[in-house]
Amino acid sequence: MNELNTSVLVIDDEEMVRDNIEDILVPRSISQEQYGIDNAVNILFDAPATLLAPRTRNIPVFTVDKASNGMEGIEKVRKAVEMGRPYAVIFLDMRMPGINGLETAIEIRKYDIKAEIIFVTAYSDCSIEEIVEQAGQNVGYHCKPYASEEIIQLATKAVTDYNKLRNLEKLIESISKIGLNNHQLTSLLKNILEQLAGSLETDMALLGKLHDGFVYEKLFSIGAFEDKVNLEELVSRIKNISIERDEVIQLEDLVLARMDNYSVFALLKNHGKLKTEKMYMLKLFVQNAAQAIRNAELNEKLVQKEKLSAVGQVLAMVMHDLRSPIKNIKVITGLMRDEGDTSEMVDLIDQSAEQASKIFDDFLDFIKETKITKVSVNVNKIVSEAIKQAESRAGIEQVTISKNIPDSLVVPGDESKLRGTIINLVNNAIDVLHEKNVHNGAITISAHTEGKEVTLKITDNGPGIPPEIKDTLFEPFVTCHKKNGTGLGLSIVKQFIIGHGGKIAVYNNNGATFTITLPL
C-alpha cells in the first residue's frame, strides 16, 4: 500500500489565517492560559476558533507549509514537484496583493495539475465555472468565515480524493503497459466503451474511428444511439471544435472522448454539466486507455514483423531454388521458336514466366522494403496489360472489365510495381465475383487528375468487404477465406503505394471500391 500524501500548502496574505489553518490541521498542545487568550482573540476579532479536540482515526496526519503571497506559493509548488514531494491540497485565498488567487492557481497548474486546490475567501469574485475553466477540474470553493470542522473536512476529503486518484492512476497506468494482441484489442475497446458509459450513467454510447475528412466508422454501440442522434450532423458539429488527442469534452447533452483514431460519443440522460471530479476521472481513464490501445497496436505490429521476417527467410530460399527453373522457361520457349513454333501460346508462356519472376522480386522487395525507383509510367498502358493478364483468370467469363482512363495520363513510378498492384486488385475482384457466384459481374477501372494528384479507382459489383476484416484488410496475413490466398497481396499493394508517396483506401458502395491516390 502506498503511503498517503497528506502534504498541505496554505497561501494567504493574512498571517493569522495561515497560522489558524495550520493549528486546525496540525493541533498543538497548549496551556490553559493560551486557551483563554485564543478565546479572547476569537471574541474580539471574530477569528475562527482553533480545533482543540483530540484527533480521531479517520483524520489524516497532515503536514502544512505556508506562503504569504501568490509568487511565494508558486515557487513552493515548483520546488515540491521538482523534489518529487508534491502537495496533495492547496488552500488558496482569492484576494491577495500582487497576483490574486485565480492567477496564482493558473500559474500553479503549469507545475502541478494534480493537486486539489481549495479557494477559501470572503469574496466571490469569480463563479466556480470560471474558476474551473481557468484553474482546472480538481478545485473547490469555500467561503469565510469558516469553522474548524469545515477545514478538517475539506482537507480530509481533498487528501482522500487526491490519493484515490493517484492509486487509480497507477493501476490504470500498469494496465496500459500490458501488451495485447488484435483479439484482445477488440475486447479492450468494448470494455472501454462500457466503462465510459457506466461512468457517465448512460445507456446510449458509440465507439468508432474518426478518419481523415471526418468520416466516422462505427465499431461498437450501446443502446439506440443512432436512433437518437444523427451521426452526420454530429460529425459536422465537431469539425469546428478543437479537441486534442486523449481528451474529453462535453457538448451540452453529449460527451466526446478521443483516443488517437478512436472516438466515443455518449448521450447523457441529464443535460447538466458534469462535475469536475467526474471530468477529471474521465480524462485520466481516456489517457490511459489510449495508451493501452497504442500498446496493443504496437504489439500487433511487432508480431507481424516477426512473421514477415520468417516469411522473408523462406521466400529467399524459395527464390533461390526457383530462379533457375523460371529462367529456363525462356530458354525453352526460345528453342520452340527455333523449331518453328510461333503460336500465341509460346508468347503467353514467356509473359507468365516473366511475371512469375517479377512476383518473386516484388515479394522480396516487400520483405526488404526496397525503395521505389521512379520513371514515367503510362497509366492506360499498365491497366490494359493488367486486364490482358486477367483474361486467363478462373471465372473471367462471367465478368466484364471496363476502363475509363485518358490515353496520355502519365505518373512517376515503378512500372512493374504499379502494374502488379492493379493486377492484384483486379484478380481479387474477379475471385470474389466468381466465388460468390455474382451473375453479370462487372469491374470498372477509372482514373482522373485533381490538382497535383492522380486518383485511380477499381470498383466491382460484388458483396463488398466483410466488416470483420475491413479495418485490417491491408495488414499482412489477412485474407477473406480465399482458397489460394496468402494474406500478403494487399499488404504488398499498400507498401508499393506508400512507397510511391501515395495512399490507398477501400469502401463499400454496392460492391467494393479501392481508391489509389498518387502524386504527379
Side-chain angles (χ1 to χ4, degrees), residues 390-441:
E391 289 177 357
S392 60
R393 196 79 175 176
I396 189 63
E397 64 277 356
Q398 298 175 345
V399 179
T400 301
I401 302 178
S402 59
K403 65 184 177 75
N404 180 21
I405 298 169
D407 292 335
S408 59
L409 183 56
V410 174
V411 296
D414 185 309
E415 184 169 325
S416 171
K417 289 177 174 54
L418 290 178
R419 184 193 301 109
T421 293
I422 298 166
I423 288 172
N424 192 304
L425 294 175
V426 170
N427 285 347
N428 281 353
I430 294 170
D431 292 346
V432 169
L433 295 171
H434 177 54
E435 290 172 12
K436 299 299 181 182
N437 294 316
V438 177
H439 299 293
N440 300 318

Side-chain angles (χ1 to χ4, degrees), residues 248-406:
V248 182
I249 61 172
Q250 183 178 358
L251 306 171
E252 298 173 0
D253 60 342
L254 196 75
V255 173
L256 168 62
R258 183 180 174 190
M259 300 164 287
D260 283 350
N261 294 330
Y262 298 93
S263 295
V264 174
F265 295 111
L267 196 63
L268 299 176
K269 290 181 179 178
N270 302 315
H271 295 188
K273 193 172 179 65
L274 289 175
K275 290 183 179 179
T276 57
E277 295 91 343
K278 180 155 285 188
M279 284 296 286
Y280 181 76
M281 286 295 296
L282 287 172
K283 289 180 181 180
L284 179 65
F285 178 78
V286 164
Q287 287 166 5
N288 288 278
Q291 186 58 50
I293 291 170
R294 286 192 281 272
N295 289 343
E297 292 177 337
L298 177 61
N299 186 66
E300 187 68 14
K301 287 178 182 177
L302 290 173
V303 170
Q304 290 172 0
K305 200 77 176 176
E306 290 175 3
K307 289 181 181 178
L308 289 176
S309 177
V311 170
Q313 294 175 20
V314 173
L315 280 176
M317 291 186 290
V318 171
M319 182 64 186
H320 180 269
D321 292 339
L322 287 180
R323 179 171 287 160
S324 294
I326 290 173
K327 298 292 183 186
N328 287 340
I329 291 175
K330 295 202 76 171
V331 174
I332 294 169
T333 54
L335 292 173
M336 291 171 68
R337 288 191 182 92
D338 290 343
E339 292 180 4
D341 191 341
T342 57
S343 65
E344 269 189 44
M345 189 61 69
V346 177
D347 293 336
L348 186 59
I349 292 171
D350 264 351
Q351 290 172 15
S352 297
E354 186 176 340
Q355 185 64 34
S357 181
K358 286 178 180 176
I359 287 172
F360 275 106
D361 290 340
D362 287 344
F363 263 58
L364 289 174
D365 285 350
F366 173 69
I367 300 301
K368 298 175 183 177
E369 299 184 358
T370 305
K371 289 184 178 179
I372 301 294
T373 303
K374 294 183 179 180
V375 297
S376 294
V377 179
N378 185 291
V379 177
N380 191 44
K381 174 178 174 289
I382 61 171
V383 169
S384 297
E385 290 170 352
I387 293 173
K388 181 73 175 173
Q389 182 80 15
E391 289 177 357
S392 60
R393 196 79 175 176
I396 189 63
E397 64 277 356
Q398 298 175 345
V399 179
T400 301
I401 302 178
S402 59
K403 65 184 177 75
N404 180 21
I405 298 169

Side-chain angles (χ1 to χ4, degrees), residues 161-215:
D161 289 347
Y162 178 91
N163 286 282
K164 276 183 180 178
L165 286 173
R166 300 294 76 77
N167 290 335
L168 180 60
E169 196 174 47
K170 288 175 182 176
L171 175 62
I172 298 176
E173 187 179 345
S174 299
I175 294 171
S176 73
K177 293 177 181 176
I178 299 172
L180 303 168
N181 59 34
N182 202 43
H183 174 70
Q184 291 168 326
L185 175 59
T186 300
S187 299
L188 172 66
L189 291 172
K190 286 181 179 177
N191 189 258
I192 287 170
L193 181 63
E194 290 168 0
Q195 292 292 336
L196 284 174
S199 178
L200 292 167
E201 298 176 358
T202 179
D203 54 4
M204 282 187 284
L206 183 70
L207 183 147
K209 282 189 172 182
L210 194 59
H211 296 286
D212 294 339
F214 288 91
V215 177

